Amino acid sequence: TGEPIVTTNAQNDPRFSNQESVVSYSLRSILCVPLMVKDTVTGVVYADNRIRAGLFGGSELDLLFAFAHQAAVAIQNARLFERVSATLEEITENTELLENVFASIASGVITTDTDGYIITYNQAAQRIFGIPHDEAINRSLKMVLPIDNAFYEALYHVQTEQQTASLELEPEIPGRGKVGLSMRLSPLRAHEQSTPGVTILVDDL
């Protein structure tokens, strides 16, 4: 019930005198307080003495209640930490798997946020555009990709209309000269009504 219990002699206490455990164990002094987190009982701290009556009183109740409060918070934090650690481990494994998948794809894969900043840039994209991963991540597409206005018009269409777009371009890439690229742009959806960015798939023709 979330209410603490203190009894000076359980043998004579009408609340508990008929309880089998009280009789069989000859329990006398009993002190019991709830472990509570945000008004929810998560456990109990229990103490008893089978020999002495009147061992526990108001001061012992206050002391154990204060201890139980700290213990409940500590236990809850430990449980939360364990859950967060397990979740973080799962996220790390999934991220590593995703990175391995991206690395193995022959096509360049680039994803952007709503402001056009690169958040994913795989190894194939590095080979195609000749720009290392660390120099591309968190930079604007316009600062990284030497592509003409047709690409950015398609990008705007994908962001506003939430539809895919395909195009072929022949940009000048430093160190490579003119190259033929096939590009497919798709909205990167968070849910049905939101397009937080764009996925760009690039094939070097």
Side-chain angles (χ1 to χ4, degrees):
T1 63
E3 295 296 326
I5 290 293
V6 60
T7 179
T8 56
N9 192 337
Q11 298 289 322
N12 299 327
D13 193 321
R15 296 174 297 175
F16 312 114
S17 58
N18 292 327
Q19 295 293 324
E20 182 179 348
S21 60
V22 171
V23 174
S24 60
Y25 290 109
S26 300
L27 300 179
R28 286 179 170 77
S29 296
I30 293 177
L31 181 60
C32 191
V33 299
L35 292 171
M36 300 194 65
V37 177
K38 296 181 179 178
D39 298 326
T40 300
V41 178
T42 61
V44 170
V45 179
Y46 170 88
D48 69 36
N49 189 287
R50 305 179 188 183
I51 301 173
R52 293 179 56 188
L55 187 63
F56 304 130
S59 60
E60 287 78 18
L61 177 62
D62 292 341
L63 178 63
L64 190 60
F65 204 84
F67 168 79
H69 174 73
Q70 297 297 325
V73 172
I75 292 170
Q76 182 71 2
N77 287 343
R79 288 174 175 168
L80 291 174
F81 180 79
E82 184 176 349
R83 292 173 193 164
V84 169
S85 296
T87 301
L88 182 59
E89 183 177 349
E90 182 179 354
I91 291 172
T92 301
E93 291 177 355
N94 290 339
T95 299
E96 291 175 353
L97 175 61
L98 188 60
E99 289 176 350
N100 290 336
V101 170
F102 277 158
S104 66
I105 295 175
S107 300
V109 178
I110 302 170
T111 60
T112 71
D113 61 16
T114 53
D115 297 321
Y117 285 85
I118 297 173
I119 55 178
T120 300
Y121 185 86
N122 73 343
Q123 291 181 7
Q126 295 182 69
R127 292 193 299 269
I128 293 171
F129 295 105
I131 298 175
H133 176 273
D134 292 343
E135 295 180 16
I137 290 296
N138 297 324
R139 294 184 64 194
S140 169
L141 271 175
K142 293 184 178 181
M143 298 291 293
V144 176
L145 304 188
I147 300 177
D148 60 25
N149 289 334
F151 168 80
Y152 292 103
E153 290 174 1
L155 182 66
Y156 177 77
H157 174 79
V158 171
Q159 289 176 317
T160 55
E161 302 297 328
Q162 298 190 25
Q163 296 179 353
T164 60
S166 299
L167 66 161
E168 292 187 2
L169 302 172
E170 293 185 343
E172 290 278 347
I173 295 179
R176 294 192 61 194
K178 182 178 288 189
V179 297
L181 301 180
S182 174
M183 310 186 76
R184 181 177 177 84
L185 288 70
S186 303
L188 183 64
R189 302 181 190 275
H191 49 80
E192 293 183 359
Q193 302 301 322
S194 174
T195 305
V198 173
T199 299
I200 305 164
L201 192 67
V202 186
D203 287 307
D204 188 344
L205 302 179

